[in-house]
Amino acid sequence: MSPLNDRYRTSDDSDSVFDSAIAVDLLPLAQLAMTSSDLTNVFLPPGWNKLAIVNCAPQPFQYPGVKGFLASGRVGNDTSTSAVLALGIDWSSWMQYYMNGSIQGTPASSWTGAPSGSLISLTYNAMYNAVRASLWDSLKFLSGKKLRVTGVSLSGPLAQMAALDLRSGNKGPTQQSAPGNVESYAFSTGAIANSAFAAYLKNEVPNSYAIIAGTEDNKIDFFPLNNNSELNSELGELIELSSSLPEFDVPWIERSADFYLKAMNGVPNPPPSQSGAVEQVPGFSRQLAFQFANLCAVSYQRFQHPNAQTMNISPYSVGKSITANGVNFATIYTSVDSLAVAFRGACTWQEFADYVSNSQTKTLTISGTNVSVHTGTANLFYGPSDTGDSTTFKEKLLSEIQAALGDRTNIYFTGHDIGGAVANLAALDFESSNSLSITSVYTFGATPTGGPDLKNLMANTFSQTCFQVNRSIDPFAKLSNVLIGYASLDTQVSVTGIPVNDCYPYHSIKSYSNLLDPKE
């Protein structure tokens, strides 16, 4: 066992053969499988040789494409050469090709051998079946080497399924024999199965590990957490990594490969920092944008760790948080003359699926005009504030703003990720209905809000007072251009550059704050 292993514990405190030194070497390979656009010419770490490429095409409205590679090298303290199958799904591909919202369950495919009552994600079951032939075909290059399978975030469940598929005694699509004794290491992975399937996989593949940053008493990475879906069971043995909270308590930092490497005493390899620029457009204030990015960060914290010490957000003070479906989603901040509402983005796997990925448009009537709106955004804004409560998030938000406004003359809406889309929709709704007079809107890496009709209504309602701040390399900021039926809202403000310790997918509100800092 590696001396690093005192930094983790299993969920049931059982003896484990999990080796964090192996995990440290596997995670960069999993990250490469996710982030590399050209696996033919992928640059592997020193000492690694690519053996084969694995892939399957996306199916629009069903699932994204899967990509990956089989490589040989040495991991951890293992002196023999082993093979690693690294599988990847990038965030933008998921967003572009999966638009159906909540992940539905289905009986597991027959190849699993799972008992009756076992349910698995319909989406992941279809994805794995699509890539299965390519995966098994790559194994002809194994040459008797020990096999480990790995994946991070969206692709983690595929690694867990592959470990089950490749276990001893199983057969492939053309009756190939499985290599057997396979291990899987999945990082920051959402639950995709019910308890029956999870128990079956754990029994069949004891060396399958689901690695999460944080512990039950000190949750850090909230992405793997599930709330109330029937698919609420983690696959494999849960490995909890002890780590401290960063200053920016935000999900895209805490679920990153770099954060996980640090938690396991590994050494991250962030991209070289580059100076950049913030586009100057009429009416836009870099100082306000910087302040509002920090307010968005604190809104994340108000959901994840509401009792933690808040970072410096002067001249604003933290006010009341407003819940959507029973959890903090927006927070009110006040200064001497201004009130700002900051909407956070998705933190958990279930929020990402239910809201962000629920992206087929729906028609709403705002100010007498029919407009197409992102379904997940509309469901969140017009949905319940608390579970089982008839009061909507919109109604609760308006009530709390009016109670806190006093004689303040400025009202700002700001948000990151889907919180940016909600900020846009909320500002349009309140301004159009004369419920509030919105001074301006600032969003950061906002997911799509709506179609060309909504874009026109926003432009007519907010003339040079609504700003969509987007990094040039943030894939979420470009989704409005690739999703059918959507349009990018005015006014776009481009931000370039790479701050110190930036991390894929370059979407974190921390990076936006660093690049917008007027001192930089």
Side-chain angles (χ1 to χ4, degrees):
M1 295 284 285
S2 164
L4 300 182
N5 287 336
D6 61 358
R7 294 183 59 82
Y8 83 87
R9 67 183 180 90
T10 64
S11 56
D12 55 6
D13 293 321
S14 63
D15 292 334
S16 172
V17 295
F18 169 78
D19 191 326
S20 58
I22 290 176
V24 165
D25 286 341
L26 292 181
L27 182 51
L29 298 176
Q31 182 77 343
L32 276 174
M34 172 183 270
T35 60
S36 299
S37 57
D38 181 10
L39 291 178
T40 301
N41 298 305
V42 65
F43 289 99
L44 297 178
W48 284 90
N49 296 304
K50 186 182 65 180
L51 302 177
I53 294 175
V54 172
N55 61 69
C56 74
Q59 290 297 312
F61 301 99
Q62 297 183 46
Y63 55 81
V66 179
K67 54 187 179 174
F69 56 83
L70 182 72
S72 64
R74 294 180 180 179
V75 294
N77 300 315
D78 194 342
T79 58
S80 61
T81 300
S82 61
V84 171
L85 178 63
L87 299 174
I89 303 170
D90 66 60
W91 294 96
S92 57
S93 179
W94 178 282
M95 292 288 296
Q96 185 173 354
Y97 293 107
Y98 180 79
M99 306 173 69
N100 297 329
S102 301
I103 305 297
Q104 304 298 317
T106 188
S109 294
S110 59
W111 63 258
T112 66
S116 176
S118 297
L119 295 178
I120 192 169
S121 158
L122 175 66
T123 302
Y124 276 93
N125 195 58
M127 262 194 297
Y128 188 82
N129 287 337
V131 78
R132 189 171 182 239
S134 177
L135 184 156
W136 274 87
D137 184 63
S138 75
L139 300 184
K140 62 189 178 186
F141 298 100
L142 270 180
S143 301
K145 299 179 180 68
K146 181 178 179 62
L147 178 64
R148 297 180 174 94
V149 189
T150 188
V152 59
S153 295
L154 296 173
S155 53
L158 296 177
Q160 296 164 330
M161 296 172 70
L164 179 64
D165 192 13
L166 302 174
R167 71 195 187 280
S168 295
N170 205 22
K171 296 289 185 180
T174 58
Q175 296 304 300
Q176 310 102 308
S177 295
N181 299 319
V182 65
E183 298 177 356
S184 75
Y185 286 69
F187 304 87
S188 186
T189 297
I192 65 157
N194 68 354
S195 58
F197 186 87
Y200 172 70
L201 183 141
K202 191 170 184 179
N203 181 69
E204 294 290 318
V205 192
N207 295 332
S208 179
Y209 306 109
I211 304 155
I212 177 174
T215 66
E216 184 62 32
D217 298 328
N218 182 30
K219 295 182 175 68
I220 296 179
D221 177 12
F222 280 69
F223 184 73
L225 302 180
N226 225 47
N227 298 326
N228 54 26
S229 168
E230 64 176 350
L231 308 178
N232 58 5
S233 296
E234 192 66 66
L235 295 180
E237 183 176 359
L238 183 62
I239 304 297
E240 299 177 321
L241 301 175
S242 177
S243 183
S244 58
L245 286 176
E247 177 188 4
F248 275 78
D249 179 17
V250 294
W252 292 97
I253 294 294
E254 294 153 347
R255 71 177 66 140
S256 70
D258 286 4
F259 188 85
Y260 271 72
L261 283 171
K262 289 178 182 178
M264 297 184 295
N265 276 355
V267 180
N269 185 28
S273 60
Q274 296 178 6
S275 60
V278 179
E279 184 179 6
Q280 294 302 307
V281 299
F284 173 78
S285 166
R286 180 171 179 172
Q287 178 66 37
L288 284 180
F290 171 66
Q291 291 175 351
F292 294 156
N294 291 339
L295 297 188
C296 290
V298 175
S299 290
Y300 277 113
Q301 183 186 58
R302 298 294 291 171
F303 166 72
Q304 296 190 144
H305 304 100
N307 297 321
Q309 182 176 355
T310 301
M311 59 188 290
N312 181 13
I313 53 171
S314 179
Y316 287 92
S317 299
V318 179
K320 192 163 185 178
S321 291
I322 299 92
T323 60
N325 288 297
V327 296
N328 289 347
F329 184 76
T331 300
I332 295 174
Y333 304 88
T334 54
S335 67
V336 173
D337 60 354
S338 300
L339 179 149
V341 182
F343 303 83
R344 68 171 175 87
C347 290
T348 68
W349 164 238
Q350 185 172 3
E351 288 182 341
F352 179 75
D354 290 354
Y355 298 141
V356 182
S357 299
N358 194 1
S359 52
Q360 298 190 52
T361 59
K362 65 190 306 183
T363 300
L364 301 178
T365 302
I366 299 178
S367 188
T369 302
N370 290 334
V371 293
S372 52
V373 181
H374 181 275
T375 298
T377 301
N379 290 351
L380 203 159
F381 181 62
Y382 296 108
S385 175
D386 290 296
T387 53
D389 189 354
S390 60
T391 303
T392 67
F393 174 74
K394 169 191 169 180
E395 292 167 341
K396 186 69 172 177
L397 176 63
L398 179 59
S399 174
E400 294 296 345
I401 291 174
Q402 291 172 333
L405 186 58
D407 59 359
R408 296 177 177 86
T409 56
N410 297 311
I411 301 176
Y412 299 104
F413 279 9
T414 186
H416 174 251
D417 192 76
I418 195 172
V422 175
N424 286 323
L425 179 60
L428 180 62
D429 186 294
F430 290 144
E431 183 76 30
S432 298
S433 63
N434 296 316
S435 300
L436 296 172
S437 178
I438 309 301
T439 306
S440 60
V441 182
Y442 283 71
T443 71
F444 309 94
T447 54
T449 307
D453 43 12
L454 184 135
K455 171 184 179 176
N456 293 335
L457 184 58
M458 286 285 291
N460 292 334
T461 305
F462 299 101
S463 177
Q464 297 183 341
T465 58
C466 185
F467 305 101
Q468 312 296 312
V469 184
N470 292 318
R471 294 188 66 187
S472 57
I473 57 174
D474 179 354
F476 282 65
K478 303 174 183 178
L479 288 171
S480 294
N481 297 325
V482 298
L483 293 180
I484 298 173
Y486 285 89
S488 296
L489 302 184
D490 299 334
T491 301
Q492 298 287 313
V493 179
S494 175
V495 179
T496 61
I498 300 176
V500 175
N501 295 322
D502 200 12
C503 57
Y504 175 85
Y506 316 112
H507 181 59
S508 170
I509 193 64
K510 176 181 184 292
S511 294
Y512 277 93
S513 172
N514 290 347
L515 292 169
L516 288 163
D517 190 340
K519 297 177 183 177
E520 296 299 321

